[in-house]
Amino acid sequence: GLKDKIKALEKDKETKKSDAMALKNTKDDLQKELDASNEAYANLKNRVKVVATELKERRTECRTLTVQVTTLTESNELLKTQIINLETQIAQDKQIQGDNK
């Protein structure tokens, strides 16, 4: 009768209390996971900014080096031309000296 109903209600109350505690624990665990995920996201976002800045700097450096390579290549070609001209002039001078002997 009534005692059995009271026992059943008390048991149901304990079960619900236990379920509520389990849900709270699950919620707490999920909150910890969310916090860790948010922190990881923030760290990755910051890393992306750092890498993007590095990339921008590298691109600038690349452009600068490309200009330097072009300048040095042109200078190198000019020097090669000057060497050829000097060698030609030396050869002509030797020929002239040989003809004058």
Side-chain angles (χ1 to χ4, degrees):
L2 188 56
K3 280 188 175 183
D4 288 339
K5 284 186 179 182
I6 290 173
K7 277 187 178 182
L9 287 173
E10 285 177 353
K11 186 176 180 183
D12 188 46
K13 179 182 170 186
E14 287 299 317
T15 302
K16 288 186 177 177
K17 189 175 179 183
S18 176
D19 289 348
M21 285 298 292
L23 286 173
K24 184 185 179 308
N25 289 338
T26 301
K27 178 200 157 267
D28 291 345
D29 290 344
L30 289 174
Q31 186 62 51
K32 287 177 189 174
E33 285 181 36
L34 178 62
D35 292 345
S37 178
N38 284 337
E39 184 178 350
Y41 173 79
N43 289 339
L44 283 175
K45 192 174 177 183
N46 287 334
R47 180 68 181 136
V48 165
K49 287 180 184 178
V50 168
V51 170
T53 301
E54 289 174 2
L55 180 59
K56 186 177 179 182
E57 290 169 357
R58 294 291 175 262
R59 284 180 175 157
T60 301
E61 183 179 5
C62 225
R63 284 191 292 272
T64 301
L65 290 173
T66 299
V67 169
Q68 289 177 354
V69 166
T70 301
T71 302
L72 289 172
T73 301
E74 291 170 355
S75 177
N76 190 10
E77 291 302 317
L78 180 63
L79 289 171
K80 283 180 182 177
T81 302
Q82 289 175 346
I83 287 171
I84 290 170
N85 289 340
L86 288 172
E87 287 172 345
T88 302
Q89 187 176 353
I90 289 170
Q92 288 173 351
D93 288 350
K94 281 185 180 178
Q95 188 177 13
I96 290 171
Q97 288 175 358
D99 290 346
N100 286 338
K101 285 187 178 180

